[in-house]
Amino acid sequence: MAHICLLLSGAALLLNGLAALDLLPRRDAAVFSLVIGSTQLALGVAFLGTAPAGALPGKASDGGPHLLLGAAGMFLFGLTYVYVGLDFLLGLGSRGLGWFCGMVAVCGLLLAATWAGADPLLAVLWLCWTYLWLLFFLQLALGFSGLKPLIGWSLVLTSAASATVPAFLGITGQWPDGPEAAPSAAAGASVLAFLLLLAAGFTWRGRRGGPTAPRAAAVVVPVESPLSGELKL
């Protein structure tokens, strides 16, 4: 169930990124976020009650702490998407959503540190998601509205690498474990860092190539026609 939630998150990140770039109606992304978030919350409840430890990323053998950590991640994503959807559909103003994203960013750092030993790849993914939540916090809570293009490109470019592809690795049983974990985590970190830098580059290029200020229209002063019988020089 955790990997299914991650797969759904990839789609939600993509659609919200497209909406931030004004390539998709914001209402469409909001409705989709609400549906995805509600589904993830339901799956999180079922996962917490029924999933064995082996269903978690990293294939942990101890059920208690890792089971709770996996469910916590599912709830954080689910609540975020539900809040994003309701914020737009109900016109809540987004400031509360921004502070919530700031709180989730702090939780993301703690989860990344917790998973660093047991599952390095998952820790890298949490660092990427923490960065995305931090961008939302800066934009919505602190008013850095100029970050919207960066947020859009970051969501679009990292949606597959941070969610969709890792989800398929887990679903197909290919999640890196044991000796493969550290090299896979390093490769994942390199790919995500490149994509985030690429998003920053696209944002900078878009600002440079934005519409220039219109030139001042030339002022044409009408010349009065000479009076009849007046000498024309």
Side-chain angles (χ1 to χ4, degrees), residues 80-105:
T80 299
Y81 293 135
V82 168
Y83 202 162
V84 167
L86 292 177
D87 179 77
F88 179 83
L89 296 176
L90 301 181
L92 301 180
S94 299
R95 193 171 182 87
L97 174 60
W99 283 103
F100 174 76
C101 289
M103 184 274 294
V104 178

Side-chain angles (χ1 to χ4, degrees), residues 2-3 47 52-60 62-63 65-71 115 119:
H3 297 133
F47 176 80
L56 286 169
K59 303 173 184 177
D62 53 330
H66 286 173
L67 184 66
L68 293 175
L69 288 172
W115 282 112
D119 193 336

Side-chain angles (χ1 to χ4, degrees), residues 20-232:
L21 294 173
D22 297 323
L23 299 176
L24 185 74
R26 192 69 190 89
R27 185 178 182 85
D28 288 6
V31 172
F32 188 75
S33 295
L34 186 58
V35 172
I36 292 299
S38 301
T39 303
Q40 288 180 327
L41 291 178
L43 290 175
V45 172
F47 176 80
L48 188 59
T50 63
L56 286 169
K59 303 173 184 177
S61 58
D62 53 330
H66 286 173
L67 184 66
L68 293 175
L69 288 172
M74 297 167 68
F75 285 126
L76 288 175
F77 271 105
L79 287 172
T80 299
Y81 293 135
V82 168
Y83 202 162
V84 167
L86 292 177
D87 179 77
F88 179 83
L89 296 176
L90 301 181
L92 301 180
S94 299
R95 193 171 182 87
L97 174 60
W99 283 103
F100 174 76
C101 289
M103 184 274 294
V104 178
V106 175
C107 294
L109 282 177
L110 296 175
L111 285 170
T114 304
W115 282 112
D119 193 336
L121 178 58
L122 187 57
V124 168
L125 296 179
W126 270 110
L127 287 177
C128 176
W129 300 328
T130 296
Y131 171 75
L132 298 177
W133 269 305
L134 178 61
L135 289 180
F136 277 108
F137 168 70
L138 293 175
Q139 182 204 10
L140 302 177
L142 302 186
F144 289 89
S145 57
L147 292 176
K148 184 179 177 182
L150 177 60
I151 292 174
W153 281 116
S154 298
L155 292 176
V156 169
L157 293 178
T158 63
S159 60
S162 70
T164 308
V165 173
F168 275 107
L169 289 178
I171 291 172
T172 58
Q174 301 300 315
W175 192 276
D177 194 7
E180 301 176 357
S184 299
S190 300
V191 171
L192 290 172
F194 171 76
L195 292 175
L196 291 174
L197 288 174
L198 188 62
F202 284 159
T203 303
W204 178 75
R205 182 180 179 183
R207 288 174 180 171
R208 283 196 61 191
T212 57
R215 297 180 179 179
V219 179
V220 179
V221 180
V223 180
E224 297 181 356
S225 59
L227 298 176
S228 58
E230 185 177 1
L231 181 63
K232 300 178 181 179

